[in-house]
Amino acid sequence: QQLLHVRAGKGTKRRVIPITAKVTAALEEYYLQERCNSTSQKVKDTAAFILNNIGNRMRGDGFIKLLKQITEQAALQKEITLHHLRHSIATHLLQGGMSMEYVRDFLGHSFLETTQIYAKPKVEQLKLL
């Protein structure tokens, strides 16, 4: 169904995230090439999907460090954070036609006003609100 289920995201909220076929393939490749090929002694958290280099569950700071490495390799002048990515996906979803309510649910917000801080709608979409 091309949905990613996160059982306990930030604030222990459950999330269902739509993903593309390309992302699905990349996750499958990670699982088959990296995750399954880790030595069983190295995998300390068998319930975790993404592991760090010592076999523990990947946490926020690990993702931050990885994103920093990627942006440095890409020689980006502007610092990009996970929070920037959150703003970007919210804006892309909204500008792609997803309703503000669905974007709110996607981000796991309780209030529409919080989502409006993240997502930058097109002028035409503002007229519809």
Side-chain angles (χ1 to χ4, degrees), residues 27 30 49-52 57-70 80-82 85:
L27 290 173
Y30 161 77
F49 182 71
I50 299 178
L51 302 174
N52 62 19
R57 178 181 303 261
M58 186 81 140
R59 303 217 181 266
D61 60 335
F63 286 108
I64 291 168
K65 189 184 285 187
L66 184 59
L67 180 60
K68 186 174 176 124
Q69 290 172 356
I70 292 167
I80 306 293
T81 66
L82 293 173
L85 296 179

Side-chain angles (χ1 to χ4, degrees), residues 1-4 17-30:
Q1 294 177 337
Q2 293 192 259
L3 296 172
L4 177 66
I17 304 163
I19 57 176
T20 64
K22 190 173 182 179
V23 172
T24 302
L27 290 173
E28 183 177 1
E29 183 180 341
Y30 161 77

Side-chain angles (χ1 to χ4, degrees), residues 37-53:
N37 288 334
S38 297
T39 60
S40 59
Q41 296 137 349
K42 188 177 178 183
V43 176
K44 297 173 184 163
D45 189 345
T46 56
F49 182 71
I50 299 178
L51 302 174
N52 62 19
N53 59 353

Side-chain angles (χ1 to χ4, degrees), residues 15-18 86 89-90 93 98 101-109:
R15 304 249 196 314
V16 178
I17 304 163
R86 189 168 167 83
I89 189 64
L93 290 172
M98 186 178 276
E101 290 80 10
Y102 282 122
V103 175
R104 177 197 61 206
D105 294 343
F106 176 80
L107 295 174
H109 292 156

Side-chain angles (χ1 to χ4, degrees), residues 16 90 93-94 97-113 115-116 119 125 128-129:
V16 178
L93 290 172
L94 190 60
M98 186 178 276
S99 75
M100 186 70 79
E101 290 80 10
Y102 282 122
V103 175
R104 177 197 61 206
D105 294 343
F106 176 80
L107 295 174
H109 292 156
S110 299
F111 302 102
L112 203 55
E113 294 79 12
T115 306
Q116 290 171 332
Q125 290 170 307
L128 297 174
L129 293 177

